[in-house]
Amino acid sequence: MSTSTAILKEAAQQQKAVRTRRPDLSMLLGVAVALAAMVAGIAVTGVKAAYFLQPTGALIVLGGTLGVIILTTPRAGLMNSARRVAELLWAPDIDRRALMAEIMGYVRRARAFGVLTLEPIAAQATTPFLRESLVITLDVQERDKLKSALELKLRLRERQGETDAKVLEVSGGFAPTIGVLGTIVGLIDVLRQFSSLQSVANGVGTAFVSTIYGLAVANLILLPTANRIRARVAEAFETHEMIIEGMMCIFDKMHPSLVQERLSFFLHESESK
């Protein structure tokens, strides 16, 4: 077996399941705990859960908050945020050790046969950022320009994540206020039919449940989701930095053992053992 064939075979073996997706159990657990705490709190008071099912309050808060999201966000940004929220349910499980092994395969190939030999296999990279970084590394001829281009791409990804989180954060700021609008509507209904005790009871119920809806939507859904997006972006940032470091090492034709030592700094403690 020739050296070229051996390196290609090694790279193929190293490109295992670097990027897979699995249900985000910690996020689902958080949602379950929050809902269980609310249900338990309601049960302790002795108030029936059906009392909190007020269609008027739900319509005002949910419809009003959705309208605010549409009003404050351009269509492209709205689609990006919706896609980002959908992705939260399935956590990207990136094995950094496997990713490092994949990058090392590219390092060895580039050092043995030249950087341009990566062009036919760049499209087979297991993560989008790695594929894009390989293409940039092949196209750029100056080190400073390469570093600038990769860092710019990293900043743009980080900025996009912050923009997606900001959409939910802004909406979370409006939801409690919209809940207050529902409260006012309920109180107006109370004053309009003050002579009917049943109408007063229903109006007061709608009023205060609307406030609860607004607070719940903001503090249990929108704001936590925004923070979750930021946490995912921060985690991906480290992985992308690792890829950029690998690309710079390929450009510098650094020895594989030195590259491996540098990339190992990006491994989590549990992965480095």
Side-chain angles (χ1 to χ4, degrees):
M1 182 182 298
S2 66
T3 304
S4 174
T5 305
I7 291 178
L8 289 175
K9 184 176 180 180
E10 180 186 6
Q13 291 174 347
Q14 289 170 340
Q15 287 184 348
K16 51 187 179 182
V18 174
R19 183 181 177 87
T20 58
R21 286 193 173 273
R22 54 180 172 75
D24 193 340
L25 298 180
S26 63
M27 182 177 177
L28 297 177
L29 177 61
V31 173
V33 169
L35 291 178
M38 291 187 64
V39 171
I42 292 172
V44 168
T45 64
V47 179
K48 293 182 179 179
Y51 185 78
F52 292 88
L53 301 178
Q54 300 287 349
T56 303
L59 181 61
I60 292 174
V61 173
L62 298 181
T65 303
L66 179 60
V68 166
I69 294 176
I70 296 174
L71 179 63
T72 58
T73 310
R75 185 174 64 177
L78 191 61
M79 296 299 295
N80 288 333
S81 296
R83 190 180 304 112
R84 180 87 63 171
V85 171
E87 290 176 352
L88 289 179
L89 297 176
W90 296 89
D93 187 12
I94 297 181
D95 183 352
R96 290 191 187 178
R97 179 168 290 280
L99 180 60
M100 183 178 76
E102 179 180 358
I103 294 173
M104 289 305 303
Y106 297 132
V107 169
R108 294 188 181 95
R109 181 184 175 94
R111 183 175 172 83
F113 309 110
V115 175
L116 293 180
T117 60
L118 299 178
E119 185 173 3
I121 61 173
Q124 302 172 13
T126 52
T127 69
F129 191 82
L130 179 55
R131 285 196 295 271
E132 295 166 5
S133 299
L134 281 170
V135 171
I136 293 174
T137 304
L138 291 170
D139 290 341
V140 179
Q141 303 299 322
E142 297 181 19
R143 191 181 193 281
D144 291 342
K145 290 184 178 180
L146 173 60
K147 187 173 183 180
S148 268
L150 294 175
E151 290 179 347
L152 175 61
K153 180 169 286 294
L154 181 58
R155 287 196 302 272
L156 289 176
R157 281 179 171 261
E158 187 181 20
R159 187 179 304 169
Q160 182 61 57
E162 177 61 26
T163 300
D164 295 338
K166 198 68 176 178
V167 170
L168 299 175
E169 189 174 64
V170 170
S171 303
F174 282 105
T177 305
I178 296 174
V180 172
L181 292 178
T183 299
I184 295 173
V185 170
L187 293 176
I188 291 174
D189 189 47
V190 170
L191 296 175
R192 186 174 62 88
Q193 305 184 46
F194 199 73
S195 59
S196 172
L197 183 61
Q198 183 64 36
S199 296
V200 170
N202 291 336
V204 171
T206 300
F208 287 100
V209 169
S210 296
T211 302
I212 292 176
Y213 283 167
L215 292 172
V217 168
N219 294 285
L220 297 180
I221 299 177
L222 296 175
L223 297 180
T225 303
N227 288 329
R228 190 73 176 186
I229 290 175
R230 289 192 175 98
R232 287 279 184 85
V233 171
E235 184 178 5
F237 184 85
E238 295 181 5
T239 302
H240 294 158
E241 279 191 321
M242 176 181 177
I243 292 173
I244 289 177
E245 185 66 27
M247 296 303 101
M248 298 306 301
C249 292
I250 288 176
F251 186 88
D252 292 337
K253 300 179 181 179
M254 193 174 293
H255 192 278
S257 61
L258 296 177
V259 178
Q260 186 163 0
E261 183 178 356
R262 283 195 176 189
L263 297 184
S264 64
F265 295 142
F266 293 92
L267 298 181
H268 293 143
E269 184 178 351
S270 58
E271 293 175 319
S272 60
K273 294 180 179 179

